[in-house]
Amino acid sequence: NFTSDALSYCTSTSQSTMSTNKGPSLPLPKNKQELEQVLLAMLDPDNNRRQAAANCLEAFFKVPACVQAMMQQMSDSNEPTARQMAAVLLRKKLSALLWRQNEKHWSTVQETLLRRLVAENVWPVQKAVAALACRVAKLSVPDGRWPQLVPFLTSLIQKPNEKMRTVGMLLFRAMGENLGQTMVQSINVFAQVVSAGLKDPSVRVRAEAFRAMEGVVCYLDTKEQVTTYQKLIPLAVNSAQQIFKKGNVEEANPALELFNHLADSPVPVLEPYLVPLVKFLLEVSVKADNLAIADTAMRFVQSVVEAKPQRIVRAQLVPDVLKVAFSFLVKPDDNPFLVDENTPQKTGVAMIAAMVESIPYKHLYRPCLQTSVKLIKGQSPHQRRAGLAIIAAIAEGFSLLLRECLPQLLDASLGLLRDNHPMVRVAACVCLLQLCDHIQPDIRNHHERLIKAMVQTLDRQGEHPMVRVRMTSALCAFVESLDKEVAQQYVKPLMTKFGQMVNGRDMEMRKMAVGGIQAVAIAAEEKFLPYLNDAMRAMVFFMSQTQDEMLELRAAATDCVGCIAAAVGANAFGPMVARVLTLADQNFKLNFYALNESTFRLYANLANCLGPKFAQILPKVHGYAIKSLESMDGVEIRAPSNDMSAFHREDAFENEDDLLRQMEYSIRSGAVDEKAAAIQAIASFAEFTGSGFLPFMPKTIEICKDCLEYPHEWVRHGVAAVLHELIKSAHKLFPNKGGQMQQGAKAIVGGALPLVLEMMKLEPDKQCCAEAAEAATCAVKNFGMPALQAAGGAFAEVLDILLQEKGPCQAYHGSEEDEKDEADHDEVLIDRVTDLLSAIAKASGPGFEPLFRRVTPHLLKFNQPHRAAPDRVMAIGTLGDIVEEMGPRVKPYLKDLFPVVIKALTDQECGVRRNAAYTVGVFAIHGKEAARPYAKPAITALSRLLELRAEHKGDDGYEACRDNACSAISKLMGQDVSLAREPKVVNLFMTGLPLLNDQEEAKEVYPRMAQLLRQGGDAMKAHHPHALFICARVFMTPDVSEDVKRGLVPIAKTLAAQIGKPGVSSVMNKLTESERATLAKVLG
């Protein structure tokens, strides 16, 4: 029987519980037999009886005595189901408060649990008891109130019985997940137990040991803990290899999950073992028959490729990884047309795309292209599909390189549109889509053959539906990219085709046809007007449909209407606005993410179409967007065990860190898309409505602040776009007056700029950070010093972090610093950071010197020899730009900087040499006497740049480099008169003229030439005929200013008089007909 407390509770509350509970309820149990029946009723097939039992137990758990009663059931009941249910329910209901109320029974409960763990012989019950023991441990162990537990588990893991060892390791694993901080404080004991588990002959024990390692890694804190933990990794790898060699591939999955978890962990425990692990998991992925196992192994390799690309390169694993990825692409699959299911092809494409994103192109481009060409010619349709998939996977990352062979790629893709196998034709369509998206603008030159082939494919009788869908996507993407003049040629045939498709029966094709009409409208603009009424009639019909199966089509039509509005303009679309807005309002009532998303895009396009007139409906639509962004709909926070009950108890977590460790975000993609569209719509409102948006700016800044930490980067991209538009609007509405920021601008920029700088400092996504940097640059360019002063030291702090590549989005987990040096140039972020640096220098002028002193060492790290060439180009170019703005205050730094720039004049990369020549000229102008000691070594290096090889003639980069070198010599002579008297220097300068490419230097070099000619001297006399030739060329160069040309007129006349008719005639013979005519006119 129960204790007297429990019996008293049951008797006194039975009647009140029966009368207050909603729904059915069983009588409260008065003895263990009745309690057993209630527990068994929890699994009754009758829903009413099950609910009645739940209501009964809800009341039963309201007094402390329930703990003893449930422990008695778990220990003594003859029904395994009752024992299991008692353990499960007690674990869920055992709060810290309930446990404290049972303090006098603590030792009894703990002893009973340990005894039951050994005595229980039913595996599901044993696991439930272990889970309850873990809950009790969480409430007891941190306070040292269960010292017997760890020794008991250690002894349990050493028992000969496999189930005992499994239960012991399972409980040990659960303790690691829930008591991680406590467990790692005794890391040696943890390592000893897990080490034994990894060596255990039982696969089940090993699986729990793998999971135990996974559970505690996030709690590792000290170097000692990390080192001890790392010693377990070779054992884990060896254990997994043993399982794999025995053919138990699926049983190795817990190990694969562990390795993936460790690869994603911020604690770098895998560092010493990455290469052997990659080799092992490549082997697993090849030999595993189970796609899920192979995919798990490939995910690990992919994560290493993304996070440690140079480790893969140095270990010479790139060919091996590519080979495995290619093997996945050629694997047959049961149904190649299932879109949502995982396939070997998706795994292979994901790996290649990750490699293209992370690994320098020189290791990938040629093998990818060669393999693709070979497979495209293969006999098997799987090979041909794989060849096309490779091109599609590398199209974005290698777009510049693929331009050179675009005709051949199109020949292959268009040829395989006629392949016998539909899956190859689908792959050809996908390949064409990627080429249309990324090989721009080159692919537009092939519009005739592309559109003809695409339409023929759509017209082909009996074509596979997936081919038609993919081809329509490719056609839409291509048409949307066309120039208006070209697109107008195809408006009629395309609208005819899409009109036929939109009236068809196939729902997917109707949706694609709507997208086609949208693409034509975007490309044709006002030429779409003849089709406006018919198109809108169809779209309004689709936007009026409310059936579930029609909602995707309704969303597509909503998108299409917005694009039509933006294309045809306010005058043509104005009469339709009221009807469209009514339908758009109704969209939000249908509770469909894609429809909400398309509605926000519609609003953005209407703002573009209507401009300031859109402000009339801003209160409503801005409110819709704010509501979407404030909603938590679509974001789920859960515990790893999927048991959310812990999150609703105040005592569930002892501190915030414990809570965050247990939290996992799950974000429904539809909700993310909707919120991203909502925030982008707000950016459009700010851009197009002008002063009409002013009342909404405070709330907009507030929502941007709230969304800065939204879990998905798509929403944060929108935040950066909104803040950028707010800063631009502030400048349009309140430009600086008298060099000072107006109050209206202060209010807007004062709210937006701190958020922008916070994004740059803390944002984990590189593209978001880059967009924030653009917004910050916009603020500096538009408002100058007042913006810098308003931000205080925040600009300097952010630049310091990002130029050192220490921002969260620049996180690098390698152990060798020079691995960064060999990576490709960061095209996404660092160029925007240096743009901001240059803008600050321009706004600050001489006042930039303190920041210059702080950031220049970081900037010059990008000029190290092992950095990518674009890094070095950027570093030297930015140095010249900021010194140009800072002026003479660069003098104290020239002793350190001038040698660096002179060395850059000999760089292998032409762009570095060009920027170095420009920077030498800047140093000469602003350094004055401080630059003179470096003039001669600089001129020696510059002289090599004036030698233009035959193969480099016509190359813009080399010609501009030559022009900058000539200008630099001119500036050095301007600061040191003695150089202008040296024949060698004068001769060098004259051989660099006339300018071939960079006519911006004309205002420097041609007046210098005129000055030297006026000064006379033997050195210049020999150059008189060439100088006249230069004048003739300059007179016919359109990019040279008229002031410069006028300054050369008297020089040309003097030169003609000095060299006489024979000399003039000789010069005339070297000129074109137009140049001769112009020179003759000048000379009179």
Side-chain angles (χ1 to χ4, degrees), residues 17-56:
T17 302
M18 292 289 289
S19 61
T20 59
N21 272 335
K22 294 182 180 180
S25 177
L26 297 177
L28 286 172
K30 298 179 181 178
N31 53 55
K32 66 180 182 181
Q33 289 80 15
E34 291 183 5
L35 178 57
E36 181 180 78
Q37 293 305 309
V38 173
L39 292 171
L40 293 174
M42 287 292 290
L43 297 175
D44 197 288
D46 186 316
N47 289 338
N48 290 332
R49 183 168 172 76
R50 210 165 49 243
Q51 183 60 51
N55 290 341
C56 174

Side-chain angles (χ1 to χ4, degrees), residues 731-862:
H731 177 63
K732 290 178 185 176
L733 299 172
F734 308 105
N736 281 4
K737 284 187 176 180
Q740 297 299 315
M741 199 182 295
Q742 296 189 61
Q743 284 302 121
K746 284 183 179 180
I748 300 169
V749 176
L753 187 56
L755 301 183
V756 166
L757 295 172
E758 183 178 348
M759 281 192 81
M760 292 180 66
K761 182 179 177 182
L762 302 176
E763 174 57 54
D765 180 78
K766 188 172 287 187
Q767 187 63 52
C768 289
C769 187
E771 291 168 0
E774 288 182 348
T777 304
C778 175
V780 174
K781 286 183 176 180
N782 288 334
F783 296 103
M785 281 303 297
L788 296 173
Q789 292 164 352
F795 275 104
E797 181 184 4
V798 166
L799 287 170
D800 212 28
I801 292 170
L802 296 179
L803 286 173
Q804 292 185 76
E805 298 178 283
K806 291 184 177 180
C809 63
Q810 300 166 300
Y812 183 78
H813 306 293
S815 56
E816 296 92 351
E817 177 68 19
D818 61 346
E819 286 192 16
K820 284 189 283 189
D821 295 342
E822 298 183 3
D824 284 342
H825 178 62
D826 175 10
E827 296 178 353
V828 175
L829 176 60
I830 203 65
D831 288 340
R832 290 167 175 82
V833 173
T834 53
D835 287 345
L836 173 59
L837 187 65
S838 298
I840 294 174
K842 187 170 185 177
S844 304
F848 183 72
E849 189 268 337
L851 185 57
F852 178 84
R853 185 189 328 125
R854 180 173 177 174
V855 302
T856 299
H858 310 322
L859 180 64
L860 290 180
K861 286 184 179 180
F862 289 90

Side-chain angles (χ1 to χ4, degrees), residues 350 705 728 834 888 905 1009 1077:
K705 184 176 181 179
K728 288 196 290 187
T834 53
L905 290 170
M1009 182 186 75

